[in-house]
Amino acid sequence: MDFERADALNQAIRHLTLRHRARAAALLAPLDLHPGQEVLLLELARTGPMIQAKLSEALGCEPPSVTLMARKLEAAGHIRRKPAPSDRRASVVELTDSGTALAGRIKQLWSTLAEETVTGLPAETVAALPGILMTIADNLDTRRPHQHSQHPPA
């Protein structure tokens, strides 16, 4: 790919991620949440209680980042952490009633954000976007060796 096309693509992705994160932050601020915390709450709502190390893996975050988020969410009363029965050094993280209610509000905000994000795009494009974006994310996954395979166009 020549530089002009590469630059246009990289700039578009950068611009999209910055704007999406800023809009997410604006929607989350009235809930007293910061970007990233909502994903932790949604993961627990989806899976139920989880060992903190597994939660870190599921979120694709470093364990210290999850620990910090968990502390803040626990202080706000949205989650609780308790020692894992199988390993007292590990913590099980679970939603409180407050966290469950908050996750419901986050789901509504996430729907709003998604609708705003794809306004004006054809339904076929919207349907294809999750697969395309996940392929792009997989291509950039630093946790696996980079493969020089060609992905078929979507």
Side-chain angles (χ1 to χ4, degrees):
M1 179 179 309
D2 65 37
F3 174 75
E4 286 74 26
R5 286 184 64 178
D7 188 45
L9 177 62
N10 289 325
Q11 290 294 338
I13 291 170
R14 180 180 173 278
H15 194 69
L16 170 63
T17 57
L18 290 172
R19 290 233 172 153
H20 189 270
R21 184 173 175 88
R23 183 63 181 134
L27 291 171
L28 292 168
L31 301 179
D32 202 25
L33 292 175
H34 298 282
Q37 293 175 327
E38 82 288 357
V39 180
L40 187 150
L41 293 168
L42 290 174
E43 184 66 22
L44 291 175
R46 186 175 13 263
T47 64
M50 185 182 292
I51 290 177
Q52 192 165 313
K54 293 288 183 193
L55 184 57
S56 174
E57 190 177 302
L59 299 179
C61 293
E62 293 297 321
S65 297
V66 173
T67 298
L68 182 61
M69 282 191 283
R71 281 186 188 142
K72 290 179 180 181
L73 292 169
E74 186 175 38
H78 302 310
I79 65 168
R80 76 175 63 78
R81 294 183 296 169
K82 57 187 177 184
S86 60
D87 181 354
R88 303 300 253 165
R89 296 169 297 167
S91 295
V92 174
V93 183
E94 63 185 355
L95 292 175
T96 62
D97 290 343
S98 168
T100 300
L102 186 55
R105 293 181 66 194
I106 293 167
K107 287 177 184 180
Q108 292 171 340
L109 290 178
W110 242 216
S111 293
T112 298
L113 179 58
E115 289 170 9
E116 288 178 8
T117 302
V118 299
T119 294
L121 294 177
E124 312 80 56
T125 302
V126 173
L129 271 176
I132 293 167
L133 295 173
M134 288 308 296
T135 297
I136 292 169
D138 288 346
N139 289 345
L140 299 174
D141 189 347
T142 59
R143 294 173 293 177
R144 64 173 177 75
H146 184 70
Q147 310 215 341
H148 295 284
S149 61
Q150 295 293 325
H151 294 278

